Amino acid sequence: MRTDTPVSVKLEEYTPYPFEIDQVSLDFSLEPSETRVKARMTVRRTQPGPLVLDGVKLKLNEIRLDGKTLGPDAYDLTDETLTIRAVPDAFVLETDVTINPSANTALSGLYISGGRFCSQCEATGFRHITYWPDRPDVMSRFHVRMDADKSKYPILLSNGTPGESGDHSDGRHYAEWDDPHPKPSYLFALCAGDYDVWRDTFTTMNGDHVDLGVYVDKGQAKSAEWAMESLKASMKWDEERFGRAYDLGVFNIVAVRDFNFGAMENKGLNIFNSAYVLASQESATDADFEAIESIVGHEYFHNWTGNRITCRDWFQLCLKEGLTVFRDQEFSSDLRSRPVQRIKDVMRLRARQFAEDAGPLAHPARPSKYGSIDNLYTGTVYEKGSELIRALTVFIGIDAFNKGMQIYFNEYDGTASTIEDFYSCFEKASGKDLSQFRLWYAQAGTPEVKVEESWDAASSTLTLTLSQKIPATPGQPTKQPVPIPLRTALLDGKGAHVGVEGWENGEGVIVLEDEKMTVDLKLTGTSDKPLLSINRQFSAPVRIDRELSNEALLELAAAETDPFNIWDNFQTLARTEIFRLLDNPQSPPDEALVGALGDAVRSNESDPAFAALLTALPDIGELFQHREPVDPAGLNDARKRLRKALGENLKADAERILAKPSPAPFKPNAEQAGIRALRSAMIGLTGALDTADASRKLKSLFDAASNMTESLACLRTLVPFETAERDEVIETFYETWKENPLVIDKWFAVQVGQGTADDARRLSQHPDFDLSNPNRVRSVAAAFSMTNLAAFHARDGEGHKVIGDIILEADKRNPALAARLLTSFEQWRKLEPVAKASAEKVLKDLQSQSLSKNASDILARALG
Ligand SMILES: [Zn+2]
């Protein structure tokens, strides 16, 4: 058993680095198993103390201080640091190390993917490249020189703009890159190899010319076109929305097949998981096109929120991530449908972050300590971080928010900042004290807001009693109240807004700041008791608790004017109904609800993307959070019964919608994507009927499908069938796409997403399964354990075992990936006793093995 449980790093122990390094020159001689890295840094002391540099798995060849080679008695070397005891106040330090990129299976630092060099340095990869103070508050100007075999690595890329380049006589060549913007080491990037490139240009609002390039596998340049369009749209949007222009003459994106994350915002040289670059009509779904647009935007927007203004330390991670997710969500809302985007963002938040917040891995958006920094890239830091910015825009108003952002850009440019710095800008802009609002960042847990109404007809006043409670989370048994801005409207039964004193345009913002408050909403005219629409657009990331009967909720859903709340009211109704069906296995689904939901879908057909979302019942992960102990298989059966009833209600509509051809010629825009989303929803509901006829119908739809969205919808829907059509479709899909790894990832994912533990086991032994490729591992292990909870948590324990086995193997190569997969167990304590015991056994068996620091950190918290 591993005894060295990870040591915590604490926010309160932050001290500035005692040196500044104004400039660094890096010289790489690239060879897969023996790359030589020489660094030359200009160092200035700002405080007393020795010079401590981070470095892991580096072979030190030489150190020179002001030109003189240091003997071993001048420094201390450990597995993780190099300390030079006595240094002058200003000096030049030169180091010379050798690293082995081809042995780097953790994919952090410099490594090889598809025969090419690439790098990933966030959070602490740079220390695997050379000795350096590998922390975000040490910002330096980087000059990079690379040389490599020209035939194997004809293209050499790094941050900034290209400088001198040329050939050597021995078949090698070199290139220099210079980045004029000081940056922390986590933003360093290097790529070398043979690529095809899709090029374009952009002229900024300042009139500056920018050369754009998207580098991809040979023969795939055309598949980069959408990523390029998305990049240009991002550059334009950031100018128009936030007044921020790009600041270099070159912007490059490189697609990499083996990558632990979605993408990385390195200055001027973004490195992307190829899944978020490559897209063609035939091989990409609308969700892929949408994700590419959003992620290209996200990484580009980091240029201002992350790169030019970075984080002082990793505790401030949500300063760059939460803010940049907010920016990419706004970008997608402006390019596509705002209400649909909002619903999708909240679905992701509830599935990912609310679940995390309710389990043993719960932590504040700005944690006060961490065991392993790689494990902090969580739903809480990203999704909740974004929701807090959104709630801020409601709390202080959008004008003060916009003003505060400009203060932030102008006053903090070129610095490594904190949440306090950021909020000081909005205090200046709004004149409000935001110290209570900042408690949102310090406290974990999703606030629950109880809403009670009482109506006084005589005075035409609706009195609301609002109270908040934040559940206890690990290390935080008690909480203080936070300001909760609730967008509110009062409606009559026909959906007209009722006037309220002090409100404009039929809507107001009620801020619940204390544990409990009452607020009188006095109507400006006379009316019957109005209907209350609260937390419109999901203005605050809370759970709303209202005692409303099904009839009252249906009445409210019919009168609602806020699309988010229409959708959410049906989610609440469906959730209640699924639990009722679970408790009453003989009872048929409620006809009134099914009828109302069917009517809502039909009446919203003119907004097909929204109608498609209405057909989506709450998934098991969401239902999980409302019951304890939970039986996922039982929930899945109850959910299927309701879905089947909805499928029957919408059967004629599905036939009518699917009889029409899919939009042609194909365009990946929001309008067409909406139509295909509704068609895919109808494909799913056809499958919910679970008849032999449905199986034949799905097979013929699959054969006729002209785009990946619908092909995949048919495949996904057919997987649970036990028919010849199902087997044929699985086989045909594989044969058609076996040369395209991104599509085969989908093939794996839909099978385990709908299948059993046996399917997951069988597919993890498939010849195309590859432990060294994170996308492929996720397409089996994450798709099974994170989307198919009924099979993952099945009582026979096989689901837990198969994932435990994959984690153990993955951890030997790639600890960050293994730790991420382990989080799929985060809800284990909520399971019914049999599955709970099997999850605990797998976790304890894993804990008895020698695991990485990343995996040990998650295990200790999950079991703690
Ligand atoms: Zn990011």
Side-chain angles (χ1 to χ4, degrees):
M1 184 165 160
R2 197 186 167 93
T3 47
D4 53 336
T5 27
V7 186
S8 286
V9 184
K10 296 193 175 78
L11 170 60
E12 64 196 22
E13 290 170 2
Y14 172 84
T15 49
Y17 193 66
F19 296 89
E20 284 187 8
I21 305 178
D22 300 316
Q23 186 119 27
V24 56
S25 295
L26 296 169
D27 191 335
F28 290 84
S29 180
L30 295 167
E31 283 295 338
S33 57
E34 213 169 64
T35 286
R36 195 91 179 246
V37 188
K38 293 179 187 168
R40 182 182 196 278
M41 38 194 130
T42 318
V43 190
R44 268 189 304 120
R45 179 194 294 283
T46 53
Q47 286 176 48
L51 180 79
V52 184
L53 304 174
D54 302 299
V56 177
K57 289 188 183 165
L58 308 174
K59 183 173 158 265
L60 179 62
N61 303 317
E62 193 184 14
I63 320 176
R64 289 150 66 95
L65 199 148
D66 285 333
K68 276 197 208 125
T69 301
L70 296 182
D73 52 338
Y75 57 86
D76 297 315
L77 206 52
T78 72
D79 284 349
E80 297 189 350
T81 53
L82 165 67
T83 303
I84 304 173
R85 277 172 242 125
V87 291
D89 288 345
F91 55 98
V92 171
L93 186 73
E94 291 165 278
T95 59
D96 175 344
V97 303
T98 303
I99 57 175
N100 182 354
S102 62
N104 182 352
T105 59
L107 313 186
S108 170
L110 187 67
Y111 64 96
I112 308 281
S113 172
R116 309 182 186 105
F117 287 89
C118 67
S119 63
Q120 169 57 32
C121 291
E122 188 176 359
T124 54
F126 194 73
R127 63 190 62 188
H128 296 260
I129 294 175
T130 191
Y131 286 105
W132 184 260
D134 194 10
R135 42 188 285 169
D137 59 345
V138 177
M139 297 170 85
S140 189
R141 282 205 312 280
F142 281 66
H143 178 87
V144 174
R145 186 182 194 279
M146 291 162 271
D147 77 72
D149 181 329
K150 190 174 183 178
S151 63
K152 290 184 190 145
Y153 312 104
I155 294 170
L156 305 173
L157 303 170
S158 189
N159 315 89
T161 47
E164 214 183 293
S165 63
D167 293 343
H168 296 302
S169 54
D170 57 356
R172 293 178 74 86
H173 71 144
Y174 72 96
E176 295 187 11
W177 287 78
D178 194 56
D179 186 356
H181 298 278
K183 65 169 177 287
S185 52
Y186 81 88
L187 291 172
F188 168 81
L190 180 160
C191 292
D194 197 2
Y195 308 88
D196 270 357
V197 56
W198 185 268
R199 292 186 196 280
D200 210 326
T201 61
F202 184 84
T203 304
T204 71
M205 62 184 187
N206 306 324
D208 295 328
H209 174 91
V210 188
D211 285 321
L212 310 174
V214 181
Y215 291 77
V216 296
D217 281 352
K218 300 294 281 180
Q220 300 206 330
K222 180 79 180 148
S223 299
E225 189 178 4
W226 179 252
M228 180 62 85
E229 290 307 309
S230 303
L231 174 60
K232 289 189 293 177
S234 309
M235 297 176 88
K236 187 158 174 284
W237 184 85
D238 214 17
E239 293 184 347
E240 290 171 354
R241 175 67 181 83
F242 286 101
R244 297 295 121 189
Y246 187 59
D247 52 12
L248 287 167
V250 174
F251 189 95
N252 287 324
I253 288 176
V254 176
V256 174
R257 169 114 175 89
D258 305 297
F259 203 66
N260 276 345
F261 303 93
M264 178 63 210
E265 70 262 24
N266 317 299
K267 183 81 188 190
L269 178 58
N270 286 188
I271 298 182
F272 269 62
N273 187 321
S274 55
Y276 300 114
V277 174
L278 302 174
S280 71
Q281 168 185 348
E282 299 75 30
S283 66
T285 62
D286 289 307
D288 293 329
F289 281 103
E290 210 175 306
I292 290 169
E293 184 178 87
S294 148
I295 295 175
V296 166
H298 179 96
E299 306 309 332
Y300 174 75
F301 302 142
H302 267 313
N303 191 49
W304 275 93
T305 50
N307 299 4
R308 288 184 71 128
I309 309 177
T310 192
C311 301
R312 188 194 71 175
D313 52 70
W314 292 118
F315 296 99
Q316 322 294 330
L317 184 58
C318 81
L319 175 66
K320 79 176 177 78
E321 293 306 341
L323 177 56
T324 307
V325 171
F326 171 77
R327 275 151 57 72
D328 82 54
Q329 290 176 346
E330 284 300 290
F331 170 62
S332 297
S333 299
D334 285 347
L335 261 61
R336 293 170 180 257
S337 156
R338 182 165 286 270
V340 166
Q341 183 66 32
R342 189 69 192 123
I343 293 169
K344 288 181 178 174
D345 290 339
V346 175
M347 285 169 98
R348 194 174 305 118
L349 175 81
R350 284 178 174 163
R352 197 174 155 195
Q353 199 274 324
F354 277 23
E356 180 171 78
D357 236 355
L361 304 181
H363 58 272
R366 183 174 66 181
S368 55
K369 63 178 186 351
Y370 58 76
S372 168
I373 176 60
D374 294 336
N375 294 339
L376 261 195
Y377 290 73
T378 61
T380 298
V381 166
Y382 281 69
E383 266 83 30
K384 186 174 182 177
S386 167
E387 290 299 324
L388 298 186
I389 308 279
R390 190 172 298 281
L392 176 71
T393 66
V394 183
F395 186 54
I396 62 173
I398 192 69
D399 293 340
F401 173 76
N402 288 338
K403 202 170 140 196
M405 283 301 295
Q406 294 309 317
I407 296 174
Y408 180 60
F409 287 131
N410 295 329
E411 288 191 6
Y412 289 92
D413 190 12
T415 69
S417 297
T418 62
I419 295 289
E420 284 77 10
D421 295 334
F422 180 65
Y423 273 83
S424 73
C425 302
F426 300 102
E427 292 193 328
K428 271 186 205 164
S430 68
K432 271 190 184 173
D433 175 359
L434 296 174
S435 50
Q436 194 201 354
F437 193 90
R438 286 207 318 271
L439 283 174
W440 273 105
Y441 287 84
Q443 299 184 147
T446 306
E448 291 162 9
V449 175
K450 193 166 173 53
V451 179
E452 291 161 299
E453 307 168 46
S454 81
W455 170 243
D456 180 44
S459 63
S460 289
T461 301
L462 185 73
T463 301
L464 301 184
T465 305
L466 305 172
S467 54
Q468 62 169 296
K469 201 179 110 220
I470 309 177
T473 48
Q476 293 188 326
T478 57
K479 310 285 164 85
Q480 290 172 262
V482 289
I484 298 176
L486 300 160
R487 262 188 219 284
T488 307
L490 299 185
L491 310 166
D492 70 16
K494 295 196 179 74
H497 285 236
V498 175
V500 172
E501 280 184 13
W503 286 6
E504 281 168 29
N505 308 321
E507 200 176 85
V509 174
I510 299 171
V511 181
L512 170 60
E513 288 182 273
D514 301 324
E515 219 156 278
K516 192 168 186 173
M517 78 184 285
T518 58
V519 50
D520 291 332
L521 304 177
K522 185 158 174 39
L523 273 49
T524 50
T526 50
S527 163
D528 294 334
K529 178 179 186 287
L531 300 170
L532 172 68
S533 167
I534 196 159
N535 208 21
R536 293 165 72 81
Q537 300 170 39
F538 203 69
S539 58
V542 300
R543 289 182 199 282
I544 298 285
D545 174 15
R546 288 174 80 177
E547 300 259 320
L548 286 180
S549 66
N550 280 5
E551 292 70 31
L553 262 172
L554 280 172
E555 190 192 357
L556 183 57
E560 259 297 354
T561 55
D562 175 40
F564 176 83
N565 271 359
I566 295 174
W567 172 82
D568 202 32
N569 284 334
F570 278 115
Q571 290 285 298
T572 305
L573 282 159
R575 188 178 71 224
T576 312
E577 176 64 3
I578 291 167
F579 285 128
R580 190 188 68 80
L581 292 171
L582 175 69
D583 297 335
N584 299 279
Q586 304 306 321
S587 173
D590 177 21
E591 279 176 30
L593 169 60
V594 172
L597 195 45
D599 288 344
V601 173
R602 277 183 284 272
S603 66
N604 281 290
E605 239 181 271
S606 58
D607 184 354
F610 179 62
L613 288 172
L614 285 174
T615 69
L617 301 180
D619 65 26
I620 305 293
E622 160 70 7
L623 297 167
F624 227 81
Q625 296 164 37
H626 296 268
R627 214 171 240 214
E628 196 175 337
V630 66
D631 166 22
L635 272 180
N636 196 39
D637 288 342
R639 185 177 181 277
K640 270 190 182 163
R641 280 154 64 205
L642 182 57
R643 230 171 110 70
K644 186 174 181 182
L646 184 62
E648 281 160 358
N649 183 285
L650 286 164
K651 187 164 184 280
D653 305 278
E655 283 168 6
R656 174 175 50 79
I657 289 167
L658 293 172
K660 287 186 219 156
S662 198
F666 177 92
K667 290 201 182 80
N669 59 26
E671 193 191 339
Q672 281 199 7
I675 297 170
R676 285 186 290 269
L678 185 58
R679 290 172 60 82
S680 301
M682 293 301 153
I683 289 169
L685 287 174
T686 303
L689 299 174
D690 198 18
T691 58
D693 191 38
S695 172
R696 282 190 294 275
K697 173 87 184 150
L698 291 166
K699 166 77 167 61
S700 68
L701 286 165
F702 176 83
D703 291 339
S706 59
N707 56 78
M708 182 53 72
T709 302
E710 292 177 28
S711 297
L712 198 66
C714 293
L715 171 63
R716 177 184 295 115
T717 309
L718 267 170
V719 165
F721 281 77
E722 288 173 13
T723 58
E725 288 96 1
R726 171 225 191 238
D727 297 345
E728 240 178 275
V729 165
I730 289 178
E731 181 63 21
T732 307
F733 192 96
Y734 179 78
E735 284 302 319
T736 312
W737 295 108
K738 62 186 176 193
E739 303 302 328
N740 184 324
L742 295 176
V743 181
I744 292 301
D745 286 340
K746 300 180 201 302
W747 181 80
F748 276 101
V750 293
Q751 289 184 75
V752 298
Q754 308 291 318
T756 63
D758 283 350
D759 293 319
R761 174 82 64 191
R762 177 176 52 80
L763 289 165
S764 73
Q765 289 158 356
H766 190 279
D768 290 350
F769 184 76
D770 178 5
L771 267 176
S772 65
N773 176 240
N775 286 0
R776 187 54 51 83
V777 176
R778 284 188 285 255
S779 76
V780 174
F784 179 68
S785 63
M786 296 181 185
T787 69
N788 188 353
L789 300 189
F792 175 50
H793 295 307
R795 283 206 169 94
D796 64 7
E798 287 304 312
H800 295 146
K801 271 192 217 150
V802 63
I803 296 304
D805 291 348
I806 295 174
I807 288 170
L808 188 58
E809 283 309 304
D811 192 53
K812 292 173 191 160
R813 307 180 57 92
N814 189 333
L817 176 64
R820 186 62 58 93
L821 295 176
L822 257 176
T823 64
S824 62
F825 283 93
E826 70 184 351
Q827 308 274 347
W828 72 275
R829 279 184 205 279
K830 289 193 170 159
L831 293 165
E832 50 75 32
V834 178
K836 184 176 174 183
S838 112
E840 184 171 20
K841 180 168 186 318
V842 168
L843 291 173
K844 290 206 160 142
D845 285 351
L846 281 170
Q847 207 176 31
S848 71
Q849 308 277 339
S850 178
L851 294 182
S852 66
K853 186 176 160 189
N854 298 46
S856 303
D857 173 44
I858 299 283
L859 264 180
R861 284 155 64 202
L863 285 166

